[in-house]
Amino acid sequence: MLIYQYSGGMDGFLSAVFRAYQDKALPDLITDGEVSEPPLLSTLVRIIPDEAKALRIEKGIHARLGITGLHHLTYAYASCDPEKNRKIFYWLLSVFKYGSDVQKRYHDPHVMDFFDMTARVTLEIHRMHGLLRFAQSEEGLYCAKFAPDNNILPFLMPHFTQRLSDQPFLIYDCKRRLYGIYNGTEWKVISSEKEIQISFSQPEILFRSLWKEYYRSVSIASRENRRLQDAYLPRRYRVF
């Protein structure tokens, strides 16, 4: 069993792809996690991130698929799919083998697995454009908290900096402990183990109480349908 273990995020993964291509190898596992006890008779190859090698892979994708191919790659790498490394790897093999024709290979399970994965990521991004709600803190800062399936916070920040261009805000991914911060000029994503504690402003508290009262007044207890509510707005999106 051949195992490639990498670190360094996307650059590390693409360095692993470069190594596999260079060695004409098909690793059984590509992982960024710890491999404490490799299976018997397995070979563990530790990949050191190499920006130059990663860039060569990116240029190869761009030459065959244009900027769209690179966008697909970044969406796929943001996926929570436990098999994402394998799926991206085999998609890349198809890209370098078939070039732009890979887009038409609907019969290829590796290609379809990849695009199914990216579709789930882009769908969640689209949903959060409409579902993410900002609440005003006592200090006047607008904050949003969510727990997405995929690592989509970096994709949301450009959208909301355009929507709230004159308003500093904070978006917190509580599943990954990531903070998207916009100061009114530029944005960045940082990681911190410390969880934010938000004290809501009085207008926000009043708005919430009015909304709950409205919900109670229009709902019919005998016709309550929790399953339908969860279908329209999954509970994982109701963090605040």
Side-chain angles (χ1 to χ4, degrees), residues 186-198:
E186 58 184 5
W187 65 269
K188 61 181 177 179
V189 174
I190 63 173
S191 175
S192 175
E193 288 301 313
K194 186 177 180 181
E195 185 170 356
I196 60 171
Q197 300 295 329
I198 297 176

Side-chain angles (χ1 to χ4, degrees), residues 2-239:
L2 179 59
I3 303 172
Y4 280 14
Q5 181 188 37
Y6 72 91
S7 59
M10 177 75 83
D11 280 353
F13 173 75
L14 294 180
S15 299
V17 173
F18 186 94
R19 174 67 179 272
Y21 218 76
Q22 189 177 48
D23 295 347
K24 296 181 172 58
L26 291 176
D28 300 285
L29 175 65
I30 303 177
T31 179
D32 60 347
E34 288 295 323
V35 183
S36 54
E37 295 183 9
L40 190 65
L41 301 180
S42 64
T43 301
L44 177 62
V45 179
R46 289 187 170 86
I47 304 297
I48 299 174
D50 188 318
E51 187 176 346
K53 292 177 179 178
L55 184 58
R56 286 182 64 178
I57 297 292
E58 290 178 356
K59 286 182 177 178
I61 298 170
H62 188 272
R64 291 161 176 82
L65 300 178
I67 193 65
T68 301
L70 294 176
H71 287 164
H72 285 317
L73 174 65
T74 55
Y75 289 140
Y77 195 75
S79 172
C80 64
D81 191 322
E83 293 289 312
K84 76 174 183 182
N85 289 329
R86 179 187 63 81
K87 292 180 180 180
I88 298 173
F89 176 73
Y90 279 99
W91 174 73
L92 287 172
L93 291 184
S94 297
V95 169
F96 286 106
K97 184 176 181 179
Y98 301 107
S100 60
D101 288 341
V102 74
Q103 310 274 29
K104 306 172 186 176
R105 293 183 62 79
Y106 303 114
H107 61 284
D108 188 331
H110 295 310
V111 174
M112 297 316 298
D113 282 348
F114 175 85
F115 283 116
D116 285 345
M117 184 170 62
T118 59
R120 288 193 291 272
V121 175
T122 55
L123 176 60
E124 187 169 45
I125 293 171
H126 175 71
R127 284 175 173 168
M128 296 317 302
H129 285 169
L131 292 176
L132 196 65
R133 181 181 179 274
F134 289 84
Q136 188 182 43
S137 70
E138 283 185 331
E139 295 78 16
L141 180 68
Y142 284 90
C143 307
K145 182 179 179 182
F146 73 145
D149 291 335
N150 305 290
N151 186 15
I152 62 172
L153 179 57
F155 300 104
L156 295 179
M157 292 302 295
H159 172 79
F160 286 106
T161 53
Q162 289 183 350
R163 291 284 302 275
L164 306 171
S165 58
D166 60 344
Q167 174 64 60
F169 64 82
L170 179 147
I171 303 176
Y172 176 46
D173 179 349
C174 57
K175 180 183 277 188
R176 297 168 184 81
R177 300 292 177 88
L178 293 176
Y179 295 82
I181 302 171
Y182 176 63
N183 62 6
T185 304
E186 58 184 5
W187 65 269
K188 61 181 177 179
V189 174
I190 63 173
S191 175
S192 175
E193 288 301 313
K194 186 177 180 181
E195 185 170 356
I196 60 171
Q197 300 295 329
I198 297 176
S199 298
F200 297 118
S201 65
Q202 287 303 314
E204 174 66 22
I205 294 172
L206 176 61
F207 176 82
R208 286 167 180 252
S209 64
L210 290 173
W211 174 253
K212 290 177 182 179
E213 182 59 34
Y214 167 77
Y215 178 83
R216 283 192 294 268
S217 65
V218 301
S219 64
I220 302 173
S222 61
R223 295 187 179 182
E224 187 176 83
N225 189 336
R226 291 287 184 180
R227 290 181 63 184
L228 183 62
Q229 292 175 8
D230 292 344
Y232 279 118
L233 184 60
R235 290 178 182 269
R236 66 180 176 276
Y237 298 140
R238 310 180 208 175
V239 181

